[in-house]
Amino acid sequence: MSRPGRKEEEIRRMLDVPHPLVPADLHVRAARRGARLRRRRRTLNHVGCVLLVVAAIAFAIWAVAVEPWVAPPSATTPEIDGW
C-alpha cells in the first residue's frame, strides 16, 4: 500500500486533538439570536410589503390624474389633401 500524503497526515493530526469545550448556554444564545433574526426578517418583509402597496396606490392615483394612455391633442390640424 502507498504511504498517505502529507495533507492527509496533517488532517489526521488536527483531528486527533480533543474537541474544544462548548459553552453550556450556547443553545440558549443560538435560540435568542435565531428569534431576533426571524423577527428582523419578518419586520423587513412587512415594511417591504407596505412600501409596495403604497407605491402601487401612488402609481394608480398618478395614472388616473395624468391619463398617460390618452394621446395629447395635436398643436396643428393636419392638411386635407385630395378632391
Side-chain angles (χ1 to χ4, degrees):
M1 294 197 137
S2 66
R3 184 173 164 350
R6 183 178 57 88
K7 287 186 178 183
E8 187 175 336
E9 288 176 7
E10 288 180 21
I11 291 173
R12 287 186 189 275
R13 210 175 319 123
M14 286 188 324
L15 292 175
D16 283 341
V17 297
H19 298 300
L21 295 176
V22 177
D25 66 336
L26 181 64
H27 68 285
V28 174
R29 289 188 291 166
R32 282 185 196 147
R33 183 168 189 261
R36 186 173 60 243
L37 290 174
R38 188 174 56 241
R39 279 193 309 271
R40 184 179 299 156
R41 186 177 302 130
R42 193 176 0 192
T43 301
L44 287 175
N45 280 340
H46 288 332
V47 168
C49 288
V50 167
L51 287 176
L52 185 65
V53 168
V54 167
I57 291 172
F59 175 77
I61 291 172
W62 171 81
V64 167
V66 176
E67 296 180 354
W69 54 86
V70 176
S74 62
T76 61
T77 55
E79 296 180 18
I80 300 178
D81 289 339
W83 306 83

